Amino acid sequence: MPSTYDALSLISAVCWTFAYLAIIYRGFKDQSYGMPLMAFCFNIAWEATFGLAFFSTNFQDSELTTVGTIVWFVFDIGVGLTIAKFAYVKYWSKYAHMSQTEFYAIFISALLSAFVITVYYVLFYSDFTEYFSNRYSRAYGILAYIINFAMSVQFIGMAFTRGNADGQSVYIAAAKCIGTV
């Protein structure tokens, strides 16, 4: 019989998987993107760091979480493709008044910055493992909630500034919310 924690982790995994797939689907269907740029950058950096670079259940609470993190990293590539393909044309060129070269420079800089910050967070946290009973899962959990809070604020901001639901839906928002709780 699975524990309550395992059951909640499974529900979270299913909801996040749905959210990712729906963001990718809606992005290509609406020829838009469904995840804000910085939210994407920190999300893929977190998943690469904890799913690939530090691939170990020492960093995760369960094997399900480790596998989910790797799968979501792959889905993030799909989300990134929607940003790379549609973000500049649909929004950044119109509202930020920048060239395509400037947009991609910002995109790449944001990605690199997110990766550096995420890795340095782990290195910083590793100095304090004795205080946290050597549980790296606390490190990824704390950072995950910080990133997720920032993502939620960015999703709301994106919805208000766009004035439409391109690349998004109420179902995506609900899945993200349930998956986070």
Side-chain angles (χ1 to χ4, degrees):
M1 173 105 178
S3 69
T4 303
Y5 178 82
D6 288 339
L8 291 174
S9 292
L10 182 60
I11 291 168
S12 175
V14 168
C15 288
W16 267 105
T17 300
F18 172 81
Y20 276 114
L21 292 173
I23 287 170
I24 295 165
Y25 170 77
R26 286 293 305 256
F28 283 104
K29 179 181 180 278
D30 298 340
Q31 294 188 346
S32 185
Y33 64 107
M35 187 179 288
L37 180 69
M38 286 308 298
F40 164 76
C41 291
F42 274 98
N43 203 43
I44 196 167
W46 186 90
E47 285 160 354
T49 301
F50 290 102
L52 301 174
F54 295 101
F55 181 79
S56 167
T57 53
N58 292 331
F59 284 94
Q60 308 283 2
D61 289 328
S62 70
E63 288 181 18
L64 174 66
T65 310
T66 303
V67 171
T69 302
I70 294 167
V71 169
W72 298 325
F73 171 79
V74 173
F75 292 157
D76 258 331
I77 294 169
V79 172
L81 289 173
T82 64
I83 293 171
K85 186 169 176 78
F86 303 119
Y88 174 75
V89 174
K90 286 284 256 198
Y91 300 100
W92 288 72
S93 65
K94 294 177 186 174
Y95 303 111
H97 307 292
M98 64 177 57
S99 71
Q100 195 168 15
T101 302
E102 292 168 325
F103 167 73
Y104 285 112
I106 288 172
F107 189 11
I108 291 167
S109 296
L111 269 171
L112 292 174
S113 297
F115 273 93
V116 167
I117 290 167
T118 303
V119 170
Y120 272 102
Y121 173 86
V122 172
L123 297 175
F124 172 79
Y125 182 86
S126 67
D127 289 341
F128 298 96
T129 56
E130 65 187 70
Y131 300 107
F132 296 104
S133 304
N134 294 320
R135 290 284 309 225
Y136 281 101
S137 64
R138 290 195 177 106
Y140 93 82
I142 292 166
L143 185 58
Y145 279 107
I146 291 168
I147 291 171
N148 215 309
F149 174 75
M151 283 176 66
S152 297
V153 171
Q154 292 171 52
F155 272 93
I156 292 167
M158 185 174 75
F160 280 111
T161 57
R162 278 190 181 177
N164 63 50
D166 286 355
Q168 271 294 320
S169 74
V170 173
Y171 301 111
I172 293 169
K176 183 189 172 305
C177 180
I178 293 167
T180 300
V181 176

Tab-separated table of all heavy atoms in Angstrom, residues 73-110:
chain	number	residue	atom	x	y	z
A	73	PHE	N	12.143	17.577	-17.713
A	73	PHE	CA	13.222	18.268	-18.419
A	73	PHE	C	13.025	18.106	-19.929
A	73	PHE	O	13.168	19.078	-20.684
A	73	PHE	CB	14.591	17.718	-17.994
A	73	PHE	CG	15.722	18.239	-18.829
A	73	PHE	CD1	16.229	19.511	-18.606
A	73	PHE	CD2	16.259	17.477	-19.857
A	73	PHE	CE1	17.266	20.012	-19.394
A	73	PHE	CE2	17.282	17.971	-20.644
A	73	PHE	CZ	17.790	19.242	-20.409
A	74	VAL	N	12.696	16.901	-20.369
A	74	VAL	CA	12.452	16.659	-21.799
A	74	VAL	C	11.258	17.487	-22.278
A	74	VAL	O	11.302	18.111	-23.339
A	74	VAL	CB	12.247	15.151	-22.077
A	74	VAL	CG1	11.818	14.905	-23.506
A	74	VAL	CG2	13.519	14.383	-21.744
A	75	PHE	N	10.183	17.525	-21.464
A	75	PHE	CA	9.026	18.342	-21.832
A	75	PHE	C	9.389	19.822	-21.880
A	75	PHE	O	8.860	20.578	-22.693
A	75	PHE	CB	7.864	18.125	-20.866
A	75	PHE	CG	7.231	16.763	-20.944
A	75	PHE	CD1	6.522	16.258	-19.870
A	75	PHE	CD2	7.340	15.965	-22.072
A	75	PHE	CE1	5.924	15.011	-19.925
A	75	PHE	CE2	6.754	14.716	-22.145
A	75	PHE	CZ	6.040	14.242	-21.057
A	76	ASP	N	10.289	20.236	-20.987
A	76	ASP	CA	10.728	21.633	-20.996
A	76	ASP	C	11.377	22.003	-22.320
A	76	ASP	O	11.294	23.163	-22.743
A	76	ASP	CB	11.710	21.903	-19.850
A	76	ASP	CG	11.051	22.611	-18.689
A	76	ASP	OD1	10.088	23.359	-18.916
A	76	ASP	OD2	11.502	22.409	-17.554
A	77	ILE	N	12.029	21.067	-22.948
A	77	ILE	CA	12.612	21.339	-24.262
A	77	ILE	C	11.500	21.727	-25.238
A	77	ILE	O	11.642	22.668	-26.021
A	77	ILE	CB	13.446	20.134	-24.767
A	77	ILE	CG1	14.673	19.949	-23.865
A	77	ILE	CG2	13.852	20.324	-26.230
A	77	ILE	CD1	15.426	18.658	-24.087
A	78	GLY	N	10.369	21.014	-25.177
A	78	GLY	CA	9.212	21.362	-26.009
A	78	GLY	C	8.664	22.740	-25.680
A	78	GLY	O	8.333	23.524	-26.580
A	79	VAL	N	8.591	23.059	-24.398
A	79	VAL	CA	8.145	24.398	-23.987
A	79	VAL	C	9.128	25.440	-24.522
A	79	VAL	O	8.716	26.487	-25.039
A	79	VAL	CB	8.026	24.486	-22.443
A	79	VAL	CG1	7.753	25.922	-22.011
A	79	VAL	CG2	6.929	23.556	-21.922
A	80	GLY	N	10.418	25.153	-24.415
A	80	GLY	CA	11.437	26.068	-24.911
A	80	GLY	C	11.322	26.298	-26.409
A	80	GLY	O	11.555	27.406	-26.896
A	81	LEU	N	10.956	25.254	-27.136
A	81	LEU	CA	10.768	25.412	-28.586
A	81	LEU	C	9.633	26.379	-28.891
A	81	LEU	O	9.731	27.164	-29.839
A	81	LEU	CB	10.506	24.056	-29.241
A	81	LEU	CG	11.698	23.114	-29.315
A	81	LEU	CD1	11.266	21.738	-29.836
A	81	LEU	CD2	12.804	23.692	-30.187
A	82	THR	N	8.550	26.322	-28.107
A	82	THR	CA	7.448	27.271	-28.345
A	82	THR	C	7.896	28.699	-28.060
A	82	THR	O	7.511	29.625	-28.771
A	82	THR	CB	6.192	26.933	-27.510
A	82	THR	OG1	6.467	27.068	-26.119
A	82	THR	CG2	5.671	25.544	-27.825
A	83	ILE	N	8.737	28.867	-27.034
A	83	ILE	CA	9.249	30.211	-26.736
A	83	ILE	C	10.166	30.671	-27.869
A	83	ILE	O	10.032	31.791	-28.376
A	83	ILE	CB	9.982	30.230	-25.377
A	83	ILE	CG1	8.979	29.995	-24.237
A	83	ILE	CG2	10.721	31.552	-25.183
A	83	ILE	CD1	9.618	29.769	-22.884
A	84	ALA	N	11.090	29.813	-28.273
A	84	ALA	CA	12.040	30.177	-29.331
A	84	ALA	C	11.325	30.477	-30.644
A	84	ALA	O	11.723	31.370	-31.393
A	84	ALA	CB	13.063	29.060	-29.522
A	85	LYS	N	10.269	29.729	-30.931
A	85	LYS	CA	9.585	29.873	-32.221
A	85	LYS	C	8.582	31.030	-32.245
A	85	LYS	O	8.469	31.724	-33.252
A	85	LYS	CB	8.869	28.561	-32.557
A	85	LYS	CG	8.248	28.531	-33.936
A	85	LYS	CD	7.811	27.127	-34.285
A	85	LYS	CE	7.095	27.053	-35.599
A	85	LYS	NZ	7.949	27.085	-36.755
A	86	PHE	N	7.860	31.249	-31.130
A	86	PHE	CA	6.739	32.189	-31.177
A	86	PHE	C	6.878	33.437	-30.306
A	86	PHE	O	6.189	34.429	-30.558
A	86	PHE	CB	5.442	31.467	-30.777
A	86	PHE	CG	5.137	30.276	-31.623
A	86	PHE	CD1	5.057	29.012	-31.055
A	86	PHE	CD2	4.925	30.397	-32.991
A	86	PHE	CE1	4.769	27.897	-31.829
A	86	PHE	CE2	4.638	29.286	-33.774
A	86	PHE	CZ	4.559	28.036	-33.196
A	87	ALA	N	7.708	33.419	-29.284
A	87	ALA	CA	7.743	34.538	-28.334
A	87	ALA	C	8.145	35.851	-28.996
A	87	ALA	O	7.518	36.887	-28.763
A	87	ALA	CB	8.679	34.227	-27.172
A	88	TYR	N	9.172	35.797	-29.812
A	88	TYR	CA	9.623	37.044	-30.428
A	88	TYR	C	8.559	37.612	-31.358
A	88	TYR	O	8.195	38.786	-31.270
A	88	TYR	CB	10.938	36.843	-31.191
A	88	TYR	CG	11.316	38.095	-31.944
A	88	TYR	CD1	11.826	39.185	-31.255
A	88	TYR	CD2	11.110	38.199	-33.317
A	88	TYR	CE1	12.133	40.362	-31.924
A	88	TYR	CE2	11.419	39.360	-33.990
A	88	TYR	CZ	11.921	40.440	-33.293
A	88	TYR	OH	12.210	41.599	-33.948
A	89	VAL	N	8.048	36.789	-32.244
A	89	VAL	CA	7.102	37.259	-33.259
A	89	VAL	C	5.810	37.759	-32.629
A	89	VAL	O	5.302	38.817	-32.992
A	89	VAL	CB	6.798	36.127	-34.272
A	89	VAL	CG1	5.708	36.518	-35.247
A	89	VAL	CG2	8.059	35.732	-35.012
A	90	LYS	N	5.280	37.009	-31.647
A	90	LYS	CA	3.976	37.341	-31.077
A	90	LYS	C	4.014	38.507	-30.100
A	90	LYS	O	3.047	39.260	-30.021
A	90	LYS	CB	3.386	36.128	-30.359
A	90	LYS	CG	2.867	35.042	-31.270
A	90	LYS	CD	1.553	35.424	-31.880
A	90	LYS	CE	0.447	34.687	-31.201
A	90	LYS	NZ	-0.790	34.642	-31.929
A	91	TYR	N	5.086	38.612	-29.337
A	91	TYR	CA	5.039	39.577	-28.242
A	91	TYR	C	6.260	40.481	-28.140
A	91	TYR	O	6.131	41.686	-28.081
A	91	TYR	CB	4.805	38.858	-26.905
A	91	TYR	CG	3.508	38.106	-26.930
A	91	TYR	CD1	3.483	36.747	-27.165
A	91	TYR	CD2	2.297	38.765	-26.779
A	91	TYR	CE1	2.284	36.055	-27.238
A	91	TYR	CE2	1.093	38.097	-26.859
A	91	TYR	CZ	1.093	36.741	-27.081
A	91	TYR	OH	-0.084	36.072	-27.163
A	92	TRP	N	7.444	39.889	-28.108
A	92	TRP	CA	8.635	40.685	-27.813
A	92	TRP	C	8.900	41.742	-28.882
A	92	TRP	O	9.316	42.844	-28.567
A	92	TRP	CB	9.843	39.779	-27.614
A	92	TRP	CG	9.772	39.037	-26.314
A	92	TRP	CD1	8.937	38.006	-26.010
A	92	TRP	CD2	10.533	39.284	-25.148
A	92	TRP	NE1	9.141	37.588	-24.725
A	92	TRP	CE2	10.129	38.354	-24.163
A	92	TRP	CE3	11.541	40.188	-24.827
A	92	TRP	CZ2	10.677	38.306	-22.901
A	92	TRP	CZ3	12.102	40.134	-23.562
A	92	TRP	CH2	11.658	39.208	-22.611
A	93	SER	N	8.691	41.424	-30.147
A	93	SER	CA	8.940	42.415	-31.200
A	93	SER	C	7.921	43.550	-31.135
A	93	SER	O	8.245	44.693	-31.422
A	93	SER	CB	8.897	41.759	-32.577
A	93	SER	OG	7.597	41.269	-32.853
A	94	LYS	N	6.696	43.244	-30.717
A	94	LYS	CA	5.631	44.252	-30.690
A	94	LYS	C	5.681	45.116	-29.441
A	94	LYS	O	5.473	46.325	-29.515
A	94	LYS	CB	4.264	43.562	-30.767
A	94	LYS	CG	4.013	42.852	-32.067
A	94	LYS	CD	2.691	42.131	-32.035
A	94	LYS	CE	2.510	41.305	-33.296
A	94	LYS	NZ	1.314	40.486	-33.257
A	95	TYR	N	5.905	44.492	-28.298
A	95	TYR	CA	5.769	45.213	-27.034
A	95	TYR	C	7.100	45.642	-26.432
A	95	TYR	O	7.161	46.629	-25.715
A	95	TYR	CB	4.972	44.378	-26.041
A	95	TYR	CG	3.626	44.008	-26.586
A	95	TYR	CD1	3.322	42.694	-26.920
A	95	TYR	CD2	2.656	44.978	-26.824
A	95	TYR	CE1	2.090	42.352	-27.449
A	95	TYR	CE2	1.425	44.648	-27.359
A	95	TYR	CZ	1.152	43.332	-27.665
A	95	TYR	OH	-0.061	43.007	-28.198
A	96	ALA	N	8.154	44.910	-26.680
A	96	ALA	CA	9.468	45.277	-26.141
A	96	ALA	C	10.286	46.058	-27.165
A	96	ALA	O	11.317	46.609	-26.824
A	96	ALA	CB	10.225	44.026	-25.706
A	97	HIS	N	9.820	46.083	-28.403
A	97	HIS	CA	10.471	46.838	-29.481
A	97	HIS	C	11.972	46.522	-29.571
A	97	HIS	O	12.811	47.407	-29.516
A	97	HIS	CB	10.244	48.342	-29.314
A	97	HIS	CG	8.810	48.700	-29.174
A	97	HIS	ND1	7.903	48.559	-30.202
A	97	HIS	CD2	8.107	49.174	-28.114
A	97	HIS	CE1	6.706	48.931	-29.792
A	97	HIS	NE2	6.798	49.303	-28.528
A	98	MET	N	12.255	45.252	-29.692
A	98	MET	CA	13.656	44.844	-29.818
A	98	MET	C	13.818	43.979	-31.052
A	98	MET	O	12.842	43.436	-31.572
A	98	MET	CB	14.114	44.088	-28.566
A	98	MET	CG	13.410	42.783	-28.318
A	98	MET	SD	14.029	41.868	-26.899
A	98	MET	CE	13.832	42.998	-25.579
A	99	SER	N	15.043	43.869	-31.479
A	99	SER	CA	15.331	43.031	-32.647
A	99	SER	C	15.324	41.559	-32.230
A	99	SER	O	15.403	41.227	-31.048
A	99	SER	CB	16.687	43.403	-33.238
A	99	SER	OG	17.725	42.963	-32.370
A	100	GLN	N	15.261	40.704	-33.235
A	100	GLN	CA	15.290	39.276	-32.975
A	100	GLN	C	16.621	38.870	-32.342
A	100	GLN	O	16.658	38.040	-31.438
A	100	GLN	CB	15.054	38.506	-34.273
A	100	GLN	CG	14.716	37.057	-34.052
A	100	GLN	CD	14.206	36.396	-35.320
A	100	GLN	OE1	14.355	36.919	-36.419
A	100	GLN	NE2	13.618	35.238	-35.172
A	101	THR	N	17.696	39.484	-32.759
A	101	THR	CA	19.013	39.211	-32.180
A	101	THR	C	19.034	39.584	-30.698
A	101	THR	O	19.549	38.834	-29.862
A	101	THR	CB	20.110	39.987	-32.939
A	101	THR	OG1	20.054	39.606	-34.314
A	101	THR	CG2	21.486	39.708	-32.365
A	102	GLU	N	18.455	40.730	-30.366
A	102	GLU	CA	18.394	41.147	-28.954
A	102	GLU	C	17.551	40.182	-28.132
A	102	GLU	O	17.911	39.833	-27.001
A	102	GLU	CB	17.825	42.565	-28.840
A	102	GLU	CG	18.743	43.630	-29.393
A	102	GLU	CD	18.053	44.972	-29.542
A	102	GLU	OE1	16.840	45.019	-29.867
A	102	GLU	OE2	18.743	45.984	-29.352
A	103	PHE	N	16.431	39.735	-28.699
A	103	PHE	CA	15.583	38.781	-27.984
A	103	PHE	C	16.343	37.495	-27.682
A	103	PHE	O	16.329	37.012	-26.552
A	103	PHE	CB	14.312	38.452	-28.778
A	103	PHE	CG	13.584	37.258	-28.229
A	103	PHE	CD1	12.878	37.338	-27.051
A	103	PHE	CD2	13.648	36.023	-28.885
A	103	PHE	CE1	12.225	36.232	-26.521
A	103	PHE	CE2	12.999	34.919	-28.367
A	103	PHE	CZ	12.283	35.019	-27.187
A	104	TYR	N	17.009	36.929	-28.700
A	104	TYR	CA	17.727	35.676	-28.470
A	104	TYR	C	18.920	35.864	-27.536
A	104	TYR	O	19.258	34.960	-26.773
A	104	TYR	CB	18.123	35.017	-29.793
A	104	TYR	CG	16.921	34.387	-30.458
A	104	TYR	CD1	16.408	34.892	-31.641
A	104	TYR	CD2	16.275	33.302	-29.871
A	104	TYR	CE1	15.280	34.334	-32.232
A	104	TYR	CE2	15.150	32.738	-30.453
A	104	TYR	CZ	14.665	33.259	-31.630
A	104	TYR	OH	13.552	32.700	-32.206
A	105	ALA	N	19.526	37.033	-27.542
A	105	ALA	CA	20.605	37.318	-26.592
A	105	ALA	C	20.054	37.333	-25.163
A	105	ALA	O	20.680	36.784	-24.239
A	105	ALA	CB	21.270	38.646	-26.921
A	106	ILE	N	18.886	37.928	-24.983
A	106	ILE	CA	18.243	37.936	-23.658
A	106	ILE	C	17.859	36.520	-23.264
A	106	ILE	O	18.063	36.100	-22.118
A	106	ILE	CB	17.023	38.871	-23.659
A	106	ILE	CG1	17.504	40.318	-23.711
A	106	ILE	CG2	16.131	38.628	-22.448
A	106	ILE	CD1	16.401	41.328	-23.917
A	107	PHE	N	17.291	35.767	-24.198
A	107	PHE	CA	16.862	34.390	-23.931
A	107	PHE	C	18.053	33.541	-23.484
A	107	PHE	O	17.999	32.871	-22.446
A	107	PHE	CB	16.212	33.831	-25.197
A	107	PHE	CG	15.514	32.504	-25.043
A	107	PHE	CD1	15.262	31.931	-23.809
A	107	PHE	CD2	15.075	31.826	-26.169
A	107	PHE	CE1	14.599	30.711	-23.691
A	107	PHE	CE2	14.417	30.610	-26.071
A	107	PHE	CZ	14.182	30.052	-24.823
A	108	ILE	N	19.135	33.589	-24.220
A	108	ILE	CA	20.323	32.790	-23.885
A	108	ILE	C	20.946	33.273	-22.575
A	108	ILE	O	21.332	32.462	-21.724
A	108	ILE	CB	21.331	32.815	-25.049
A	108	ILE	CG1	20.757	32.036	-26.242
A	108	ILE	CG2	22.678	32.231	-24.623
A	108	ILE	CD1	21.490	32.232	-27.544
A	109	SER	N	21.009	34.576	-22.372
A	109	SER	CA	21.545	35.118	-21.117
A	109	SER	C	20.698	34.695	-19.926
A	109	SER	O	21.228	34.358	-18.862
A	109	SER	CB	21.604	36.646	-21.180
A	109	SER	OG	22.487	37.070	-22.175
A	110	ALA	N	19.385	34.712	-20.106
A	110	ALA	CA	18.486	34.298	-19.024
A	110	ALA	C	18.669	32.812	-18.705
A	110	ALA	O	18.692	32.423	-17.530
A	110	ALA	CB	17.033	34.593	-19.409
